[in-house]
Amino acid sequence: MSENLRSRNSVSRDQAAVMNVDLQCVKNNTEHHTNEISEERLIIRRGQAFSLILRAELLDHNDIQITVETGPGACEQKGTLSSCSTSSQCCSSISKRWSVEVLISSPSAVTLSVLCPSDACIGQYSLSVRSGPCVSVSALTVLFNPWSKDDWVFLPSEAERQEYVMNEQGIVYKGVDDYITSISWDFGQFEEDILDICLKLLDVNPKCLKDAPEDYSARCNPIYVGRVVSAMINSDDDKGMLMGRWDGMFIGGVLPSNWSSSVDILRQWIKYDCHPVKFGQCWVFAAVMCTVLRCLGIPSRVITNYESAHDTDHNLVVDEHFSDYGVRPKPDKDSIWNYHVWVEGWMKRPDLSQDSFYDGWQVLDPTPQERSTGTYCCGPAPVKAIREGHTDIKYDVPFVFGEVNADKIAWLVMANGSKKKILSDTKTVGQNISTKAVGSNSRQDITDQYKHPEGSEKERAAYGDAVKRVPGVKESQPSRPNVHMKLSLDGAPLNGSDFRLDLLLKSESSKAQDLTLKMSAQVMRYTGTPVASIWSHTTDLQLQPNTEQTLPFTLPFTAYGPKLLDNNCIKVSVIGMDKSDPKQVYLAEKDVVPHSPTLSVAVSGTPLQDSEMTAEVIFLNPLLTPLKNCSITLTGSGLLKQTEQSNTVELGPGKRITLRVTFKPYKIGPKKLVANFDSCTFRDIKASVDINVRPSLKGFLSFSR
């Protein structure tokens, strides 16, 4: 709080006997859907009226003046200062104008209705109420309003507002496209200190530090705020919140996979004077950004794109290179991630068109991949523009289009350094684009919102249109090999066990072909970066004309176990070479994510507010060898005031570790406990349980009265 506001509050206390202002926090915050944040401070949403009650002797009902201001150098021209009065002659005449009217009056009290305009700047305000010589100064906070039709973030569906603004728990999807895994995430946007932390995030952004009056003025625009938040979640070029790391070296910080709550990250950032929290990866960046946007009132959801392209040179093509023995010789500049996670925010885009075509969901990606106008941020990019290939639309549409619909070209790098194109694939990139469904814990596939059906005329037309709108880019042509190879798993791959794969070969040739198959496996990070080669095998095979043939093989645990690191998968590759025609080279790839053992979590007790409950988390070691550095953590907004953690132990074969926690839910409504098991071998196995907390009998009786 500024010194100016402190001094004004001091005036308010000195004159309390003269005029008292009742902010009606409980009533107003409930009507504005902010009572989950607090009922002790005034938090309103723009475009909606709130009420005040003034009590004093001899109030002049015809001359009560309201003044609001936010930020340094507040002024009417920038929309950061506004005055209004029960006398219409004293009101501001510019946009972002506040208004006030008398609802009920008596000689010693008056009830006012104050309307905050739908284009007001969000943030912390000073609220001054003057009647004659009496002045009272208070603080209020203004947020975006998805319930107001005049607000750019208006979301018509109440069910979607409950999911994308009010829900403090969510699901983040990971894994690979044919084995999608999920983790529960505690967004916690209504925990008591989170709003102030989110506003602090805006205050330390470089644009505010450079020109605070201009930055505060721009906070009326969700497009601007979304772009600022996207930049501030990562720490690459500012005092951002999270430091990213993908090299496997996490000394001095927390493994990204260990996080399960945005609240812990936000609180750690503010506790240590806005120094970046270590460490995050894409799903952590996205989940924290979702918390901030929901807290500020912008509807948002977390999105996972499988087989997600990272097109560094922006030519809408991803180039991958293989050596002649089937492995990646070195990390490519371009890459295809097993999955990538970003955020969508809901808002209008009148800056792009007057017909509302680009309104709706916008991609906002806080993971620091590529710079956008000099800053590590991405978006807001309209999902509709991505679907139609409108790559000349701001912000960052070409990059996001490439993530979901780039073509892939595979090259074989020869020993002499020359390379040969072995595959041109138009269908692999952008699979199973997923988000949590509204009102349930099921997965919703929204791939059709990002692109037309893969391989359809509309999809190819959109790709062609995208290429035409990006200067210097040419459309690639798919290759048509006469041998097709495909890898598949024979059963679920269990971590700790050998697993079998099948190589299916299909010939479209009229003659038999003698092939040399060079098979390999590499441990990969989910970003498509190779970590270590773990297995290779070469065999010859004669493929008969116009037939299918299956070749089974086994990848042993002894090969992959010691190398399988956090967030890594195994990429199995097969290079097939025709002995009689060296120009004929074929490729098959398969990403394998071994399944982890299960973690169980159960609760007992009646789910009532302030009523005692017990949670028990159990993990059993399924291996024949000990597990080192085993621990369990438990989090849950509205349930636990802080993260609970077990002691770190070594767990023998067949032994179990248990964490038992007694707690009292302190907020009503649907809540979620999230448990995490971690060890040197099995990293961050998560489980959760839903708890619907009801009001206590005591609280219910108090509310009824």
Side-chain angles (χ1 to χ4, degrees):
M1 187 179 293
S2 67
E3 292 298 326
N4 188 30
L5 189 52
R6 287 195 185 96
S7 65
R8 292 185 178 187
N9 279 326
S10 175
V11 171
S12 176
R13 287 190 294 270
D14 294 341
Q15 298 179 350
V18 180
M19 182 171 65
N20 173 268
V21 177
D22 180 359
L23 299 177
Q24 295 194 285
C25 294
V26 174
K27 174 180 180 295
N28 287 322
N29 291 8
T30 301
E31 292 176 352
H32 285 249
H33 311 279
T34 62
N35 56 311
E36 285 285 326
I37 304 175
S38 175
E39 292 184 339
E40 298 178 354
R41 55 189 281 200
L42 183 57
I43 306 170
I44 66 162
R45 297 188 186 275
R46 63 187 198 172
Q48 184 175 342
F50 62 96
S51 58
L52 304 173
I53 298 178
L54 279 57
R55 296 183 179 90
E57 295 180 3
L58 301 176
L59 278 170
D60 184 357
H61 303 167
N62 296 318
D63 190 21
I64 299 173
Q65 186 171 352
I66 304 288
T67 301
V68 292
E69 57 182 287
T70 182
C75 66
E76 289 187 345
Q77 287 71 26
K78 291 186 178 295
T80 50
L81 172 68
S82 182
S83 294
C84 56
S85 171
T86 52
S87 171
S88 59
Q89 298 177 354
C90 299
C91 290
S92 302
S93 59
I94 61 171
S95 64
K96 301 180 179 60
R97 184 177 66 188
W98 295 55
S99 62
V100 60
E101 62 176 316
V102 176
L103 293 181
I104 304 172
S105 64
S106 69
S108 59
V110 60
T111 300
L112 301 176
S113 175
V114 182
L115 178 62
C116 171
S118 59
D119 60 350
C121 307
I122 65 158
Q124 185 86 358
Y125 278 76
S126 164
L127 169 67
S128 302
V129 182
R130 178 186 296 274
S131 178
C134 305
V135 179
S136 178
V137 181
S138 307
L140 84 156
T141 304
V142 176
L143 303 178
F144 291 110
N145 192 354
W147 284 265
S148 172
K149 292 183 178 180
D150 295 327
D151 197 310
W152 284 10
V153 303
F154 171 65
L155 188 60
S157 166
E158 176 60 22
E160 292 185 350
R161 290 192 290 255
Q162 290 301 316
E163 181 67 55
Y164 301 137
V165 181
M166 302 301 292
N167 196 349
E168 291 190 271
Q169 282 78 39
I171 294 175
V172 178
Y173 295 98
K174 300 173 67 177
V176 290
D177 63 318
D178 61 355
Y179 174 50
I180 295 174
T181 61
S182 64
I183 58 172
S184 295
W185 193 272
D186 177 22
F187 294 120
Q189 68 268 25
F190 298 141
E191 289 294 289
E192 60 182 0
D193 52 344
I194 298 303
L195 174 57
D196 291 328
I197 298 173
C198 293
L199 294 177
K200 179 68 172 180
L201 188 74
L202 299 182
D203 287 346
V204 298
N205 93 81
K207 293 179 180 179
C208 185
L209 298 178
K210 181 180 180 180
D211 189 345
E214 195 64 36
D215 176 79
Y216 270 79
S217 177
R219 294 182 191 181
C220 63
N221 188 340
I223 302 168
Y224 176 85
V225 172
R227 197 155 170 80
V228 166
V229 174
S230 173
M232 288 302 296
I233 296 298
N234 70 74
S235 65
D236 279 51
D237 37 27
D238 45 46
K239 295 190 72 174
M241 187 165 292
L242 269 166
M243 180 182 295
R245 175 148 281 176
W246 287 266
D247 59 6
M249 303 296 292
F250 303 113
I251 298 173
V254 175
L255 271 71
S257 59
N258 195 247
W259 299 112
S260 59
S261 171
S262 302
V263 176
D264 294 339
I265 295 169
L266 288 157
R267 286 175 175 167
Q268 186 172 323
W269 178 74
I270 202 72
K271 179 180 179 180
Y272 293 103
D273 194 29
C274 305
H275 282 81
V277 177
K278 302 175 181 178
F279 294 101
Q281 290 179 357
C282 69
W283 72 94
V284 186
F285 287 110
V288 174
M289 182 170 185
C290 186
T291 293
V292 175
L293 293 183
R294 288 186 183 183
C295 183
L296 298 177
I298 299 176
S300 60
R301 60 186 186 180
V302 177
I303 307 296
T304 302
N305 176 43
Y306 292 92
E307 295 296 309
S308 185
H310 185 171
D311 175 23
T312 57
D313 51 8
H314 307 293
N315 66 348
L316 307 185
V317 171
V318 173
D319 296 297
E320 293 186 319
H321 297 84
F322 296 83
S323 67
D324 59 5
Y325 50 92
V327 301
R328 310 291 182 97
K330 62 179 181 178
D332 286 302
K333 291 182 179 180
D334 288 348
S335 59
I336 296 180
W337 297 23
N338 295 147
Y339 63 91
H340 180 48
V341 185
W342 58 70
V343 176
E344 286 179 357
W346 179 273
M347 63 191 72
K348 293 181 179 179
R349 293 302 303 271
D351 59 320
L352 300 180
S353 69
Q354 298 302 313
D355 61 2
S356 304
F357 179 79
Y358 298 110
D359 293 356
W361 290 115
Q362 315 284 322
V363 171
L364 290 153
D365 191 349
T367 299
Q369 296 184 92
E370 302 291 332
R371 282 189 168 91
S372 173
T373 61
T375 301
Y376 279 108
C377 67
C378 180
V383 173
K384 291 179 183 177
I386 297 162
R387 188 173 192 263
E388 302 304 327
H390 295 177
T391 47
D392 53 347
I393 294 295
K394 63 181 183 182
Y395 292 94
D396 309 304
V397 172
F399 183 75
V400 184
F401 180 90
E403 288 181 303
V404 302
N405 212 9
D407 287 353
K408 181 176 78 169
I409 297 179
W411 302 87
L412 182 65
V413 181
M414 306 301 184
N416 62 4
S418 63
K419 63 181 185 178
K420 168 182 171 51
K421 183 191 293 188
I422 56 176
L423 180 70
S424 182
D425 181 359
T426 64
K427 297 182 179 180
T428 296
V429 169
Q431 302 291 323
N432 298 328
I433 303 176
S434 303
T435 190
K436 178 187 176 298
V438 173
S440 78
N441 288 331
S442 59
R443 182 181 69 88
Q444 180 184 0
D445 191 307
I446 59 170
T447 308
D448 62 344
Q449 296 182 24
Y450 277 84
K451 57 184 181 179
H452 298 284
E454 195 65 71
S456 67
E457 290 185 6
K458 286 186 176 181
E459 183 267 336
R460 284 289 90 190
Y463 185 88
D465 195 15
V467 168
K468 292 176 184 177
R469 294 174 185 239
V470 179
V473 173
K474 296 181 179 180
E475 188 169 356
S476 60
Q477 297 298 321
S479 57
R480 301 185 182 277
N482 56 23
V483 173
H484 299 275
M485 301 195 306
K486 183 178 181 180
L487 284 164
S488 62
L489 282 162
D490 184 7
L494 299 176
N495 196 349
S497 304
D498 301 347
F499 48 83
R500 202 182 91 161
L501 294 99
D502 293 322
L503 174 65
L504 176 67
L505 301 99
K506 182 178 180 180
S507 170
E508 294 184 355
S509 174
S510 59
K511 60 180 181 178
Q513 293 172 278
D514 291 316
L515 303 178
T516 296
L517 302 176
K518 297 186 176 183
M519 312 158 78
S520 64
Q522 288 178 285
V523 169
M524 307 282 290
R525 296 196 170 90
Y526 81 100
T527 57
T529 303
V531 175
S533 297
I534 57 174
W535 177 84
S536 63
H537 178 69
T538 302
T539 188
D540 293 335
L541 177 144
Q542 186 178 69
L543 184 61
Q544 298 302 315
N546 298 309
T547 60
E548 291 185 2
Q549 188 170 337
T550 300
L551 178 67
F553 60 96
T554 300
L555 186 61
F557 174 69
T558 53
Y560 74 81
K563 298 291 187 179
L564 195 65
L565 303 177
D566 178 61
N567 293 327
N568 294 160
C569 77
I570 301 165
K571 183 175 286 292
V572 182
S573 304
V574 180
I575 296 285
M577 298 183 177
D578 192 323
K579 291 184 177 182
S580 62
D581 185 0
K583 295 181 180 179
Q584 298 299 319
V585 184
Y586 314 105
L587 171 68
E589 295 179 279
K590 181 70 176 178
D591 292 319
V592 180
V593 176
H595 300 204
S596 295
T598 57
L599 175 68
S600 68
V601 54
V603 295
S604 59
T606 306
L608 298 176
Q609 187 178 23
D610 298 322
S611 180
E612 191 169 281
M613 299 184 71
T614 300
E616 185 176 67
V617 189
I618 301 174
F619 179 84
L620 177 70
N621 179 9
L623 301 184
L624 299 177
T625 55
L627 295 176
K628 296 182 179 180
N629 296 334
C630 301
S631 65
I632 294 174
T633 56
L634 192 66
T635 61
S637 288
L639 301 171
L640 305 176
K641 289 287 188 180
Q642 60 187 18
T643 299
E644 300 285 346
Q645 184 167 0
S646 71
N647 294 326
T648 301
V649 299
E650 180 173 308
L651 199 59
K655 300 296 183 181
R656 66 178 59 191
I657 178 175
T658 301
L659 174 64
R660 188 175 288 106
V661 174
T662 300
F663 64 98
K664 292 182 179 180
Y666 56 93
K667 284 188 176 183
I668 62 172
K671 306 299 174 188
K672 191 184 294 285
L673 275 176
V674 182
N676 182 81
F677 171 82
D678 190 47
S679 70
C680 290
T681 303
F682 300 120
R683 306 314 306 258
D684 299 305
I685 300 172
K686 297 188 187 325
S688 64
V689 61
D690 294 320
I691 302 175
N692 190 12
V693 182
R694 303 190 302 271
S696 64
L697 181 61
K698 178 180 177 182
F700 177 76
L701 291 175
S702 173
F703 178 77
S704 299
R705 292 193 187 100

